[in-house]
């Protein structure tokens, strides 16, 4: 039964998104008990092959392979959760026009008020991550008065600015000369990078590149 | 109101996981309308600062910063979804004893039957990812008979093996000589790596290292 259902999906007789027949219909077709059908479909749903919804019935899953949920913690909390001592240093803070790639990602014009905040987060005195951030002051005007020498922009924004959604990308990059100097590593060493832009409805709130020291891993569960 | 709540959380008078007072109590304490309190708490819950549950009441969130959901697609589907042509080549398939780090990650002994399957997934003829995988044949005996020259182990397992949970880690690594040769890149170039072990209850089903060609990014939404 299990095998037969997989065969139909692999042969694309049942395509991703298609509703499959009801359990009683399948039981009749395969000449087996409805309980057998139910068990097979449940196992396939657990494996992410089928998508079972109370009202919409059972469909072939659009994205088999599973889903993972990632927590995006404040960096200070992440460090403290590992039992390490957190510290933080503000390196650059200036009202400036972002480079065109950043303006494009945030949907901003040259004359929109933006502030750049670049800082380094450390764990047990060793640099852990560079936070290179642009803040849209039209959406978060209070940020202009925040004391980023005492609280990181990362933490200030999480606790002060609302957002409706965000885009995140993870990648591996070679450390630039400037990044290498801030992280106390050699240039070109592989570093883990998180690019994140958060939005409040149609307006970008902030965009940040987090560049992590070698050895950093993101863990999650499937 | 919003500010006052944030202040208490920052000063840790209300700590992560703590239940906060009921809306009517807060309204009385702050001398404001209950609607004002409700709006402030709702905004803070949206921002991930507070955790509101119907029965358990409102608590300070354990992990503010938000959650992202990652789809883990079959590699073939991911390539085809970008409109590219997928191809796949099996490089190594052997019954072998995994190195101790793999045995430890999978909780296996030296004499547990395991199979190694190493293959390269390509998009438009260019290597995209190396799949270096170990399969626990005690849990998925059918894998011994699968034709991995025709279907990748990645896709075969998603459609044939059930799992209950998995661990995933993302990191940036320098390509080894062997990886560089398979990906047609220079050694030491930064590559994005996904390490994943999937489990069926207490037994490891499979563990895989996916090493992606330079330029690969994982995108998701917050």
């Amino acid at each position: 039964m299990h095998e037969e259902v997989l065969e139909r999906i692999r042969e694309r007789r049942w395509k991703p998104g298609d509703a499959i027949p009801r359990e009683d219909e399948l039981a009749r077709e395969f000449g087996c008990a409805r309980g057998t059908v139910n068990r097979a479909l449940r196992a396939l749903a657990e494996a992410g092959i089928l998508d079972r919804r109370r009202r919409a019935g059972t469909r072939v899953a659009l994205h088999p392979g599973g889903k993972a949920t990632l927590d995006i913690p404040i960096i200070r909390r992440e460090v403290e959760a590992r039992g390490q001592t957190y510290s933080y240093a503000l390196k650059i803070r200036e009202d400036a026009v972002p480079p065109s790639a950043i303006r494009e990602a945030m949907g901003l014009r040259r004359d929109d008020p933006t502030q750049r905040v670049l800082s380094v987060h450390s764990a047990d005195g060793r640099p852990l991550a560079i936070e290179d951030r642009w803040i849209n002051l039209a959406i978060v005007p209070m940020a202009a008065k925040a004391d980023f020498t005492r609280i990181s922009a990362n933490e200030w924004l999480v606790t002060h600015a609302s957002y409706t959604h965000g885009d995140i990308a993870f990648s591996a990059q070679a450390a630039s000369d400037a990044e290498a100097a801030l992280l106390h590593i050699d240039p070109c060493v592989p570093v883990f990078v998180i690019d994140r832009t958060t939005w409040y409805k149609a307006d970008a709130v902030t965009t940040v590149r987090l560049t992590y020291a070698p050895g950093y891993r993101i863990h999650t569960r499937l």
Side-chain angles (χ1 to χ4, degrees), chain A residues 41-88:
Chain A
L41 298 189
R42 229 179 324 134
L44 288 163
E46 248 177 45
I49 310 291
L50 296 176
D51 213 356
R52 307 185 91 192
R53 299 221 179 125
R54 200 166 295 276
R55 296 229 179 82
T58 300
R59 290 174 180 275
V60 180
L62 288 171
H63 297 287
K67 276 178 191 295
T69 305
L70 275 183
D71 277 318
I72 315 285
I74 293 174
I75 297 169
R76 177 175 65 76
R77 293 250 174 113
E78 191 178 352
V79 169
E80 291 174 351
R82 289 202 298 258
Q84 297 180 304
T85 302
Y86 172 78
S87 59
Y88 155 81

Side-chain angles (χ1 to χ4, degrees), chain A residues 69-149:
Chain A
T69 305
L70 275 183
D71 277 318
I72 315 285
I74 293 174
I75 297 169
R76 177 175 65 76
R77 293 250 174 113
E78 191 178 352
V79 169
E80 291 174 351
R82 289 202 298 258
Q84 297 180 304
T85 302
Y86 172 78
S87 59
Y88 155 81
L90 178 65
K91 300 290 183 182
I92 298 176
R93 181 180 192 175
E94 56 181 6
D95 291 334
V97 177
S100 59
I102 301 281
R103 288 208 306 277
E104 207 168 296
M106 297 179 79
L108 296 178
R109 286 163 313 185
R110 279 190 70 84
D111 56 354
D112 286 319
T114 45
Q115 185 165 88
R116 185 182 184 203
V117 182
L118 190 145
S119 52
V120 176
H121 301 262
S122 296
D124 285 345
R126 277 188 301 275
L128 172 71
I130 302 166
E131 174 184 352
D132 189 358
R133 182 184 290 280
W134 293 87
I135 300 172
N136 181 359
L137 293 177
I139 301 303
V140 208
M142 279 209 311
K145 290 182 208 144
D147 183 357
F148 291 143
T149 60

Side-chain angles (χ1 to χ4, degrees), chain A residues 130-202:
Chain A
I130 302 166
E131 174 184 352
D132 189 358
R133 182 184 290 280
W134 293 87
I135 300 172
N136 181 359
L137 293 177
I139 301 303
V140 208
M142 279 209 311
K145 290 182 208 144
D147 183 357
F148 291 143
T149 60
R150 283 194 19 194
I151 180 173
S152 74
N154 170 251
E155 183 157 0
W156 188 91
L157 283 160
V158 166
T159 52
H160 285 78
S162 301
Y163 64 86
T164 50
H165 60 287
D167 309 308
I168 306 184
F170 304 105
S171 61
Q173 309 276 345
S176 69
D177 289 352
E179 289 164 347
L182 288 168
L183 293 175
H184 305 171
I185 58 172
D186 291 326
C188 297
V189 162
V191 286
F192 191 85
V193 171
I194 303 179
D195 288 295
R196 188 165 72 208
T197 302
T198 46
W199 301 80
Y200 187 81
K201 294 175 186 165

